[in-house]
Amino acid sequence: LAQVCVSYCVDAMSGHFSWKKFARPGISQDELVEMKEAFDLFDVAGCGVVDIREVQTALQGLGIDTNNSTLHAMLSELSAMDGDTGTRGMNFEQFIDVMAARSAERDSKDDIQKVFRLLDEEHKGYLTVGNLEKVCKQLGEQYSVEDLKEMVERAAGGGSKVVFDDFYTVLARRVFP
Protein backbone atom coordinates (compact mmCIF):
# COMPACT_ATOMS: atom_id res chain seq x y z
CA LEU A 1 0.00 0.00 0.00
CA ALA A 2 2.89 2.35 0.70
CA GLN A 3 4.11 2.18 -2.92
CA VAL A 4 0.66 2.96 -4.27
CA CYS A 5 0.32 5.75 -1.72
CA VAL A 6 3.41 7.53 -3.02
CA SER A 7 1.98 7.75 -6.54
CA TYR A 8 -1.20 9.45 -5.31
CA CYS A 9 0.38 11.78 -2.77
CA VAL A 10 1.31 14.46 -5.29
CA ASP A 11 -2.22 15.88 -5.54
CA ALA A 12 -2.93 15.22 -1.88
CA MET A 13 0.13 17.18 -0.79
CA SER A 14 -1.06 20.31 -2.53
CA GLY A 15 -4.08 20.33 -0.23
CA HIS A 16 -6.31 21.50 -3.09
CA PHE A 17 -9.22 19.42 -4.33
CA SER A 18 -9.93 19.99 -8.00
CA TRP A 19 -13.45 18.64 -8.48
CA LYS A 20 -13.32 19.25 -12.26
CA LYS A 21 -10.63 16.59 -12.54
CA PHE A 22 -13.12 14.02 -11.23
CA ALA A 23 -16.31 15.24 -12.95
CA ARG A 24 -18.72 12.50 -14.01
CA PRO A 25 -22.07 12.72 -15.77
CA GLY A 26 -24.91 12.83 -13.27
CA ILE A 27 -22.74 13.86 -10.30
CA SER A 28 -22.83 17.48 -9.16
CA GLN A 29 -19.92 19.47 -7.78
CA ASP A 30 -21.50 19.33 -4.31
CA GLU A 31 -21.83 15.56 -4.53
CA LEU A 32 -18.18 15.24 -5.55
CA VAL A 33 -17.09 17.38 -2.63
CA GLU A 34 -19.23 15.26 -0.28
CA MET A 35 -17.72 12.07 -1.70
CA LYS A 36 -14.22 13.50 -1.27
CA GLU A 37 -14.94 14.37 2.37
CA ALA A 38 -16.21 10.83 3.04
CA PHE A 39 -13.22 9.33 1.24
CA ASP A 40 -10.76 11.53 3.13
CA LEU A 41 -12.09 10.30 6.47
CA PHE A 42 -10.54 6.92 5.68
CA ASP A 43 -7.44 8.18 3.92
CA VAL A 44 -5.44 8.20 7.15
CA ALA A 45 -2.09 8.77 5.43
CA GLY A 46 -3.55 11.58 3.31
CA CYS A 47 -2.23 10.07 0.11
CA GLY A 48 -5.41 9.36 -1.84
CA VAL A 49 -5.73 5.62 -1.19
CA VAL A 50 -8.03 3.80 1.21
CA ASP A 51 -8.20 0.15 2.11
CA ILE A 52 -11.02 -1.59 0.22
CA ARG A 53 -12.36 -2.88 3.54
CA GLU A 54 -12.87 0.70 4.70
CA VAL A 55 -14.83 1.72 1.60
CA GLN A 56 -17.96 -0.02 2.86
CA THR A 57 -17.90 2.16 5.96
CA ALA A 58 -17.37 5.28 3.84
CA LEU A 59 -20.35 4.38 1.66
CA GLN A 60 -22.51 3.85 4.73
CA GLY A 61 -21.44 7.32 5.86
CA LEU A 62 -22.91 8.68 2.63
CA GLY A 63 -26.20 6.89 3.30
CA ILE A 64 -25.65 4.18 0.67
CA ASP A 65 -27.17 0.75 1.30
CA THR A 66 -24.09 -1.47 1.28
CA ASN A 67 -26.21 -4.62 1.11
CA ASN A 68 -27.04 -3.75 -2.50
CA SER A 69 -26.04 -6.61 -4.82
CA THR A 70 -24.67 -4.26 -7.51
CA LEU A 71 -22.47 -2.52 -4.96
CA HIS A 72 -21.20 -5.83 -3.59
CA ALA A 73 -20.30 -6.93 -7.11
CA MET A 74 -18.36 -3.70 -7.74
CA LEU A 75 -16.46 -3.91 -4.47
CA SER A 76 -15.68 -7.58 -5.12
CA GLU A 77 -14.39 -6.69 -8.59
CA LEU A 78 -12.18 -3.95 -7.15
CA SER A 79 -10.92 -6.33 -4.46
CA ALA A 80 -10.08 -8.89 -7.13
CA MET A 81 -8.21 -6.27 -9.16
CA ASP A 82 -6.30 -5.18 -6.08
CA GLY A 83 -5.54 -8.80 -5.30
CA ASP A 84 -3.70 -8.96 -8.60
CA THR A 85 -1.49 -6.00 -7.68
CA GLY A 86 -1.31 -6.73 -3.96
CA THR A 87 -2.25 -3.14 -3.10
CA ARG A 88 -5.56 -3.70 -1.23
CA GLY A 89 -6.26 -0.03 -1.87
CA MET A 90 -8.77 2.05 -3.78
CA ASN A 91 -8.03 5.53 -5.06
CA PHE A 92 -10.55 8.36 -5.17
CA GLU A 93 -11.21 7.90 -8.88
CA GLN A 94 -12.20 4.26 -8.33
CA PHE A 95 -14.37 5.35 -5.41
CA ILE A 96 -16.18 7.86 -7.63
CA ASP A 97 -16.75 5.20 -10.28
CA VAL A 98 -18.44 3.00 -7.69
CA MET A 99 -20.52 5.93 -6.49
CA ALA A 100 -21.42 7.09 -10.02
CA ALA A 101 -22.72 3.66 -10.93
CA ARG A 102 -24.83 3.60 -7.78
CA SER A 103 -26.09 7.12 -8.42
CA ALA A 104 -27.05 6.28 -12.00
CA GLU A 105 -28.98 3.26 -10.79
CA ARG A 106 -30.86 5.36 -8.21
CA ASP A 107 -31.60 8.15 -10.73
CA SER A 108 -32.81 5.65 -13.28
CA LYS A 109 -35.26 4.13 -10.81
CA ASP A 110 -36.50 7.59 -9.81
CA ASP A 111 -37.04 8.52 -13.46
CA ILE A 112 -38.91 5.30 -14.14
CA GLN A 113 -41.06 5.92 -11.04
CA LYS A 114 -42.00 9.36 -12.45
CA VAL A 115 -43.03 7.83 -15.77
CA PHE A 116 -45.10 5.20 -13.96
CA ARG A 117 -46.89 7.93 -11.97
CA LEU A 118 -47.64 9.85 -15.17
CA LEU A 119 -49.19 6.78 -16.74
CA ASP A 120 -51.11 5.93 -13.56
CA GLU A 121 -53.29 9.05 -13.72
CA GLU A 122 -55.85 7.67 -11.26
CA HIS A 123 -53.12 6.82 -8.71
CA LYS A 124 -54.26 3.22 -8.36
CA GLY A 125 -50.73 1.86 -8.07
CA TYR A 126 -50.96 -0.21 -11.23
CA LEU A 127 -51.37 0.13 -14.99
CA THR A 128 -53.96 -1.58 -17.15
CA VAL A 129 -54.73 -1.98 -20.83
CA GLY A 130 -56.84 1.17 -20.48
CA ASN A 131 -53.83 3.21 -19.37
CA LEU A 132 -51.82 1.99 -22.35
CA GLU A 133 -54.69 2.63 -24.77
CA LYS A 134 -54.93 6.25 -23.60
CA VAL A 135 -51.16 6.82 -23.92
CA CYS A 136 -51.07 5.23 -27.37
CA LYS A 137 -53.87 7.52 -28.56
CA GLN A 138 -52.08 10.58 -27.13
CA LEU A 139 -48.85 9.59 -28.89
CA GLY A 140 -50.52 8.62 -32.15
CA GLU A 141 -49.40 5.00 -31.80
CA GLN A 142 -51.70 2.34 -33.17
CA TYR A 143 -51.81 -0.93 -31.29
CA SER A 144 -54.74 -3.29 -31.16
CA VAL A 145 -56.41 -3.97 -27.81
CA GLU A 146 -55.18 -7.56 -28.15
CA ASP A 147 -51.57 -6.39 -28.52
CA LEU A 148 -51.87 -4.10 -25.50
CA LYS A 149 -53.48 -6.88 -23.48
CA GLU A 150 -50.61 -9.21 -24.37
CA MET A 151 -48.07 -6.55 -23.32
CA VAL A 152 -49.77 -6.10 -19.96
CA GLU A 153 -50.08 -9.84 -19.38
CA ARG A 154 -46.42 -10.44 -20.19
CA ALA A 155 -45.22 -7.56 -17.99
CA ALA A 156 -47.56 -8.58 -15.14
CA GLY A 157 -46.62 -12.26 -15.26
CA GLY A 158 -49.99 -13.32 -16.65
CA GLY A 159 -52.05 -10.78 -14.73
CA SER A 160 -54.05 -7.80 -15.90
CA LYS A 161 -52.38 -5.12 -13.76
CA VAL A 162 -48.78 -3.93 -14.07
CA VAL A 163 -47.44 -2.77 -10.69
CA PHE A 164 -44.35 -0.57 -10.44
CA ASP A 165 -41.93 -3.47 -9.83
CA ASP A 166 -43.08 -5.15 -13.06
CA PHE A 167 -42.86 -1.85 -14.93
CA TYR A 168 -39.37 -1.21 -13.57
CA THR A 169 -38.18 -4.70 -14.49
CA VAL A 170 -39.35 -4.26 -18.08
CA LEU A 171 -37.89 -0.76 -18.53
CA ALA A 172 -34.72 -0.76 -16.46
CA ARG A 173 -33.54 -4.23 -17.11
CA ARG A 174 -35.00 -4.39 -20.59
CA VAL A 175 -36.53 -7.74 -19.73
CA PHE A 176 -39.85 -8.47 -21.31
CA PRO A 177 -41.08 -11.87 -20.18
Side-chain angles (χ1 to χ4, degrees):
L1 186 59
Q3 289 176 326
V4 173
C5 199
V6 169
S7 66
Y8 292 104
C9 279
V10 176
D11 286 337
M13 292 173 97
S14 72
H16 179 67
F17 175 63
S18 175
W19 67 271
K20 290 180 181 180
K21 177 179 175 183
F22 300 102
R24 301 282 192 284
I27 298 179
S28 70
Q29 176 182 352
D30 290 339
E31 290 170 322
L32 277 171
V33 169
E34 187 177 308
M35 286 180 210
K36 180 68 171 147
E37 289 170 357
F39 184 86
D40 287 347
L41 288 174
F42 300 98
D43 182 11
V44 181
C47 63
V49 177
V50 296
D51 190 301
I52 293 283
R53 295 169 293 202
E54 299 295 334
V55 171
Q56 183 173 359
T57 307
L59 294 175
Q60 288 170 336
L62 288 170
I64 302 296
D65 176 15
T66 56
N67 292 324
N68 178 291
S69 61
T70 304
L71 187 57
H72 272 293
M74 291 173 153
L75 290 174
S76 295
E77 184 178 316
L78 287 167
S79 291
M81 288 176 5
D82 285 344
D84 293 341
T85 62
T87 63
R88 301 281 312 147
M90 173 189 279
N91 65 35
F92 183 60
E93 194 157 355
Q94 291 169 315
F95 182 75
I96 292 173
D97 290 340
V98 169
M99 295 301 295
R102 177 68 181 121
S103 178
E105 181 181 306
R106 183 182 66 240
D107 291 346
S108 175
K109 190 166 189 172
D110 289 345
D111 291 343
I112 291 171
Q113 180 76 46
K114 288 175 188 173
V115 171
F116 183 84
R117 285 188 201 130
L118 285 172
L119 296 175
D120 181 19
E121 290 179 333
E122 297 169 8
H123 308 289
K124 297 180 285 185
Y126 58 85
L127 304 175
T128 63
V129 171
N131 295 106
L132 294 184
E133 277 183 298
K134 186 174 181 176
V135 170
C136 286
K137 285 179 186 176
Q138 291 172 343
L139 297 175
E141 297 291 330
Q142 296 192 3
Y143 286 96
S144 69
V145 174
E146 292 79 26
D147 287 341
L148 295 174
K149 185 177 178 183
E150 181 183 346
M151 287 180 205
V152 168
E153 287 175 354
R154 289 177 66 189
S160 61
K161 298 175 183 176
V162 178
V163 296
F164 175 71
D165 288 340
D166 299 331
F167 188 74
Y168 179 76
T169 299
V170 170
L171 288 173
R173 296 187 168 78
R174 291 164 179 74
V175 174
F176 198 62

